[in-house]
Amino acid sequence: MAIIAIVYLIAVNPLLCLITFIYTPLGMFFTFKINNKIGKIHADNVEIKADSLSIFEQFLSCIPIVKSFMIEKKALLNIQRTQQQLLKSNMKLAKFNSLLQVACGAINSFPRVLYLGFGALLVFNGEITLGLFVAMYDFLGYVIGPSTYLPFMIQKLNRCIASLNRVERLNELSLNSKKQIEEISGQPSVEAKNISFSYDGSKKILDNLSFTFKGNGLYIIKGDSGAGKTTLMDIIAGLYKPDSGKMLICNKDPALNDIGGLVSVIPQDVYIFRGSLAENIHFAKPDMPIEELVKIASSYPFLSFVEDLPEGFDTVVGDGNRAISGGQRQRIAFAQLLLKNSPIWIMDEPIAAIDDETRKLLISLIHSCAQDHLIIFCAHSNIDEKTASQIVCLGEKQNEYH
Ligand SMILES: Nc1ncnc2c1ncn2[C@@H]1O[C@H](COP(=O)(O)OP(=O)(O)OP(=O)(O)O)[C@@H](O)[C@H]1O
Ligand SMILES: [Mg+2]
């Protein structure tokens, strides 16, 4: 209709049509610029929103810790800071949205004003009839309508693109993990080359540590409490970069490369997200339907405790909901590890909180999985060291190998 209307208007009186729409391209240019800015602000806005939500969630799930250490003020300040950032970003977004409304209003009203002014002059001079003048005014609406709404549609599109980009980044993570596994040629390996690490720059937790774990098998990292086992696990997982020396996972530096697809971790303190148990195991393999994962997980004997929960895998756990024990958390972490099935497993005291019977079950599972995975098992004791491919001691006996 817009195209037909504009063709008709040109055919009836080209000069009147030109003057009427003289401002429209300029107005469209302004709205394009404003939309560009809105797109950028919106991209930042979704990031800030995500940050502020996760900080809030973290605060809620750590309320007992926050209370026991009396750090409410600090925690609230942290939340307040992100909320202020969010407010600032929302205000900026609102400002540019209002500006867009004004710009669109101008696209809507300028042509009408110009038409009424110049058209009336033509009628006065007898160049067009009053009837044609009124009829053409009606036609204007067909052209003005779309040119007013187009910028709003572009604005909505920009917002969708910003949100989609975020979703795409999450998808990329799961694609990356497949690519990473395809890329490793030969056996998986974990290599530490003279690594030293200190948290505060003075006390060395790891001092010139070297070892090479090559190929599938069970590799044990031993050491007294405070010897640096968890620190080493965090360096292997790429959470910390050593002060000197090199850590290589399948010949890649974990601090510089994304190795999420190659490595799975059971941390010393297993974290369970607020949500159902099914959702908690789903993030280990997000590309598989949740029902299928639950079916597989139901067959794990070490997850038999889930059957006793009122709603099985649909039981919601986490803050304010049903609490599950430390041992049960570790078992969920085992299920995540098995479902993700990456080539390298890192386990930081994975069976410390588990009863004797389940412990035996999990140890035999670890031994059988060590045939086709590189498993780094970190513990004070409680695993048969004779079956280990290699043992590394930390602390006073560092660099003592077996
Ligand atoms: N985030 C941190 N900041 C500063 N120092 C830390 C931090 N985390 C650990 N440390 C210190 O580093 C040393 C090694 O800690 P780490 O947790 O690696 O030991 P660990 O061998 O895992 O002990 P455990 O067997 O008790 O789990 C300890 O002295 C600890 O106090
Ligand atoms: Mg530890």
Side-chain angles (χ1 to χ4, degrees):
M1 287 300 285
I3 293 167
I4 294 172
I6 198 106
V7 169
Y8 184 75
L9 289 172
I10 292 171
V12 167
N13 194 315
L15 185 64
L16 177 59
C17 184
L18 179 75
I19 289 182
T20 303
F21 292 111
I22 201 150
Y23 169 75
T24 307
L26 196 67
M28 295 298 266
F29 174 75
F30 284 145
T31 59
F32 178 76
K33 284 271 171 210
I34 297 168
N35 263 328
N36 242 352
K37 190 85 188 157
I38 289 178
K40 281 183 195 142
I41 299 172
H42 195 75
D44 290 343
N45 190 268
V46 284
E47 296 293 340
I48 297 172
K49 246 182 218 159
D51 275 355
S52 101
L53 271 178
S54 59
I55 286 179
F56 205 69
E57 192 164 353
Q58 198 180 329
F59 171 73
L60 288 178
S61 57
C62 297
I63 279 181
I65 301 169
V66 170
K67 275 196 182 299
S68 65
F69 287 95
M70 292 179 287
I71 48 173
E72 286 102 325
K73 254 193 187 157
K74 199 169 165 228
L76 283 173
L77 270 177
N78 209 1
I79 291 179
Q80 229 166 20
R81 209 186 52 233
T82 49
Q83 291 300 313
Q84 265 162 5
Q85 266 180 339
L86 187 61
L87 179 72
K88 220 167 129 189
S89 164
N90 280 346
M91 293 292 282
K92 219 167 155 187
L93 207 56
K95 192 172 98 185
F96 279 91
N97 276 334
S98 313
L99 212 62
L100 185 70
Q101 299 240 357
V102 174
C104 288
I107 291 178
N108 185 32
S109 45
F110 274 18
R112 292 180 196 276
V113 172
L114 289 171
Y115 177 85
L116 289 174
F118 190 67
L121 195 71
L122 292 183
V123 174
F124 194 69
N125 290 341
E127 286 182 40
I128 57 170
T129 63
L130 185 62
L132 188 70
F133 173 69
V134 174
M136 273 180 71
Y137 185 75
D138 233 22
F139 252 67
L140 280 185
Y142 290 116
V143 185
I144 293 171
S147 55
T148 309
Y149 288 109
L150 193 68
F152 284 115
M153 289 168 87
I154 294 175
Q155 178 223 30
K156 276 192 184 163
L157 194 71
N158 275 342
R159 292 171 69 147
C160 291
I161 289 172
S163 305
L164 273 174
N165 282 343
R166 223 185 120 71
V167 175
E168 225 163 71
R169 274 214 306 283
L170 296 179
N171 284 344
E172 260 171 30
L173 284 182
S174 93
L175 286 178
N176 270 352
S177 67
K178 278 185 199 146
K179 220 171 108 201
Q180 283 165 19
I181 295 171
E182 281 162 15
E183 268 173 16
I184 54 162
S185 49
Q187 297 173 316
S189 62
V190 175
E191 244 177 297
K193 290 183 180 173
N194 309 97
I195 56 169
S196 297
F197 181 82
S198 137
Y199 283 103
D200 55 9
S202 59
K203 187 186 163 206
K204 277 193 176 171
I205 309 293
L206 301 173
D207 190 6
N208 209 22
L209 175 74
S210 299
F211 59 80
T212 304
F213 299 158
K214 202 164 178 64
N216 294 328
L218 178 64
Y219 299 87
I220 297 179
I221 292 182
K222 268 173 56 170
D224 298 335
S225 183
K229 299 182 295 297
T230 300
T231 307
L232 177 60
M233 297 285 152
D234 287 346
I235 292 176
I236 297 175
L239 301 179
Y240 294 121
K241 196 171 164 27
D243 299 331
S244 61
K246 244 191 178 153
M247 179 55 90
L248 294 173
I249 309 290
C250 300
N251 298 320
K252 285 181 178 176
D253 184 340
L256 302 176
N257 294 283
D258 183 6
I259 53 149
L262 299 175
V263 176
S264 302
V265 184
I266 298 189
Q268 191 163 11
D269 299 311
V270 176
Y271 186 82
I272 296 286
F273 288 98
R274 192 176 190 277
S276 70
L277 286 177
E279 282 164 348
N280 266 285
I281 57 168
H282 189 217
F283 73 77
K285 207 166 173 55
D287 48 349
M288 198 188 242
I290 198 160
E291 300 78 21
E292 262 178 63
L293 278 180
V294 167
K295 220 166 148 189
I296 300 172
S298 315
S299 67
Y300 295 155
F302 56 88
L303 284 189
S304 55
F305 75 93
V306 179
E307 278 171 28
D308 301 331
L309 298 176
E311 285 160 90
F313 279 94
D314 291 330
T315 308
V316 178
V317 290
D319 182 65
N321 294 291
R322 198 189 169 89
I324 58 168
S325 72
Q328 288 169 338
R329 281 163 192 258
Q330 288 194 322
R331 295 193 228 183
I332 294 287
F334 257 93
Q336 291 167 339
L337 208 74
L338 286 175
L339 291 167
K340 187 178 165 196
N341 199 26
S342 59
I344 299 170
W345 295 3
I346 300 175
M347 302 176 163
D348 192 357
E349 314 258 5
I351 44 179
I354 287 175
D355 61 274
D356 284 347
E357 203 178 315
T358 319
R359 184 177 299 169
K360 276 183 206 152
L361 191 81
L362 289 176
I363 288 177
S364 79
L365 184 78
I366 290 170
H367 281 133
S368 70
C369 288
Q371 288 168 15
D372 44 14
H373 296 87
L374 189 161
I375 300 181
I376 303 177
F377 188 95
C378 161
H380 297 112
S381 57
N382 69 32
I383 189 150
D384 184 7
E385 294 179 1
K386 279 184 230 129
T387 52
S389 307
Q390 202 172 317
I391 300 171
V392 170
C393 296
L394 298 184
E396 286 170 14
K397 294 176 189 160
Q398 185 180 306
N399 285 338
E400 236 179 58
Y401 300 102
H402 302 259

